[in-house]
Amino acid sequence: MSRFRSIRGVFPLQSPSQYRVLPHSPIPDDIPKPFYYKTKGKGEYTSTFKGDVEILSASSIEKMRKASKIAAGALQVALDNAKPGITTEQIDKIVHNYIISNKAYPSGVYFMGFPKSLCTSVNEIVCHGVPNLRPLQDGDIVNFDVTAFIDGHYGDNSDMAIIGKVPNKDVHKLVEVTRESVWKAIKICKPGVEMRLIGEVIENYVKSFGFAVCHEFLGHGIGANMHMPPPVMNNTNETRVEMKPGMAFTIEPIVMENPDYKLGVWDDGWTIADMTGGLSAQYEHTILITDEGCEILTDRKVLIEK
């Protein structure tokens, strides 16, 4: 789940009322829950921008691997079920059931008050879309952003699904460029590299195709809290933090079809839309800096241990 960088310039936008949002699916009593479950999202959250960057212990790294594998498996389940006619509510339930079947908590539920298990952002929705009863249609594109919590740690990832047949080559290019920008950023991640270079690599690559990076949302450190230092910006910046072994963070650019995008937030307080009607795409991995380079904790090629 992306971290807000700034809310300036984001203004209210009325959401379609015909697509009802149902209550979240039940969570068994025996599933360990994060602090915000009891308060339904009220309380203190670790800021992305404050405090020292945490170097994870060997024990925490193993817990991060476990949480990230479950998150990756849950994301793959969402992508496998993304077809014309299914609702994002149905996908939310499928993902929810996958996560709790692995004895983990679907982190979206009540995080800062979010009502569902994952974010489903369709077409002009930039991020934090709330699953509802709208069926996915042939030609839609949708981002699924899934986070899992287990053993006191989080794993976070997202990817795009293209629904049915989308003949527009520019749409495929938008998704392709977004994914490739993340892989290019991952390739530079190793001890001694400054965090600011992630944004430089991503923005330069995205701009070369005529797209833009959304500056208002960014990646973040992750571990025993979902959002931790350091901020991981997706554009040129001056974050003078060096990568060190044991650091874990997300890389998650949102790439905008329209470089002159304008953001608005639906009246649900969560769903962020491009008011120009432009499409957007997001891709995310949780990575760990190692002595040799980095490890992709949410690599979906790794078999999920049941």
Side-chain angles (χ1 to χ4, degrees), residues 63-78 80 95 97-104 146 148 150 155-157 285 296-306:
K63 292 173 182 178
M64 284 290 296
R65 288 190 177 114
K66 186 176 181 180
S68 296
K69 284 184 179 181
I70 294 170
L75 176 56
Q76 189 60 55
V77 166
D80 290 344
V95 167
N97 288 339
Y98 178 91
I99 292 174
I100 64 172
S101 74
N102 281 275
K103 304 302 180 183
V146 186
I150 191 168
D156 189 5
N157 60 172
H285 273 301
I296 304 169
L297 299 180
T298 46
D299 187 352
R300 296 199 301 277
K301 294 178 183 178
V302 178
L303 181 65
I304 306 300
E305 296 180 2
K306 296 289 181 89

Side-chain angles (χ1 to χ4, degrees), residues 24-25 27 34 36-37 96 105-111 114-117:
H24 70 78
S25 297
I27 301 172
Y36 54 81
Y37 176 79
H96 179 100
Y105 178 88
S107 306
V109 177
Y110 296 143
F111 182 76
F114 192 77
K116 303 293 282 184
S117 296

Side-chain angles (χ1 to χ4, degrees), residues 174-209:
L174 175 68
V175 173
E176 176 188 325
V177 166
T178 303
R179 290 172 176 156
E180 187 60 27
S181 72
V182 173
W183 289 113
K184 286 186 176 296
I186 288 173
K187 286 179 181 178
I188 70 165
C189 291
K190 61 182 180 180
V193 173
E194 290 189 335
M195 295 295 300
R196 65 182 183 83
L197 294 178
I198 290 176
E200 185 176 306
V201 166
I202 289 172
E203 187 163 50
N204 287 344
Y205 184 73
V206 165
K207 279 186 172 181
S208 72
F209 291 91

Side-chain angles (χ1 to χ4, degrees), residues 94-297:
I94 291 167
V95 167
H96 179 100
N97 288 339
Y98 178 91
I99 292 174
I100 64 172
S101 74
N102 281 275
K103 304 302 180 183
Y105 178 88
S107 306
V109 177
Y110 296 143
F111 182 76
M112 299 184 76
F114 192 77
K116 303 293 282 184
S117 296
L118 79 159
C119 299
T120 55
S121 303
V122 182
N123 297 334
E124 77 278 8
I125 302 306
V126 176
C127 61
H128 301 164
V130 180
N132 59 32
L133 295 180
R134 177 191 181 274
L136 293 175
Q137 301 171 11
D138 195 62
D140 284 342
I141 64 171
V142 55
N143 176 264
F144 299 113
D145 192 343
V146 186
T147 309
F149 174 83
I150 191 168
D151 294 340
H153 290 71
Y154 296 85
D156 189 5
N157 60 172
S158 81
D159 199 359
M160 301 298 299
I162 296 176
I163 308 302
K165 297 179 180 179
V166 180
N168 189 333
K169 293 182 179 179
D170 290 341
V171 173
H172 289 272
K173 179 57 70 174
L174 175 68
V175 173
E176 176 188 325
V177 166
T178 303
R179 290 172 176 156
E180 187 60 27
S181 72
V182 173
W183 289 113
K184 286 186 176 296
I186 288 173
K187 286 179 181 178
I188 70 165
C189 291
K190 61 182 180 180
V193 173
E194 290 189 335
M195 295 295 300
R196 65 182 183 83
L197 294 178
I198 290 176
E200 185 176 306
V201 166
I202 289 172
E203 187 163 50
N204 287 344
Y205 184 73
V206 165
K207 279 186 172 181
S208 72
F209 291 91
F211 301 129
V213 172
C214 181
H215 288 200
E216 288 77 9
F217 297 92
L218 65 158
H220 48 85
I222 188 168
N225 287 289
M226 193 189 302
H227 292 156
M228 300 168 62
V232 185
M233 298 183 186
N234 303 305
N235 56 289
T236 302
N237 65 90
E238 294 300 324
T239 304
R240 300 287 180 176
V241 175
E242 284 192 1
M243 299 179 196
K244 296 179 180 180
M247 287 174 56
F249 52 86
T250 69
I251 300 176
E252 48 179 314
I254 301 174
V255 178
M256 310 299 293
E257 178 185 40
N258 183 3
D260 297 319
Y261 68 89
K262 293 182 180 180
L263 299 184
V265 57
W266 280 7
D267 55 7
D268 60 13
W270 277 101
T271 305
I272 305 295
D274 181 0
M275 294 188 66
T276 72
L279 300 178
S280 66
Q282 184 177 18
Y283 187 53
E284 174 187 13
H285 273 301
T286 295
I287 73 166
L288 170 74
I289 301 301
T290 65
D291 291 333
E292 297 79 22
C294 70
E295 176 183 345
I296 304 169
L297 299 180

Side-chain angles (χ1 to χ4, degrees), residues 43-56:
E44 293 295 323
Y45 291 83
T46 299
S47 170
T48 300
F49 309 111
K50 295 180 180 179
D52 296 329
V53 175
E54 182 176 348
I55 303 300
L56 300 178

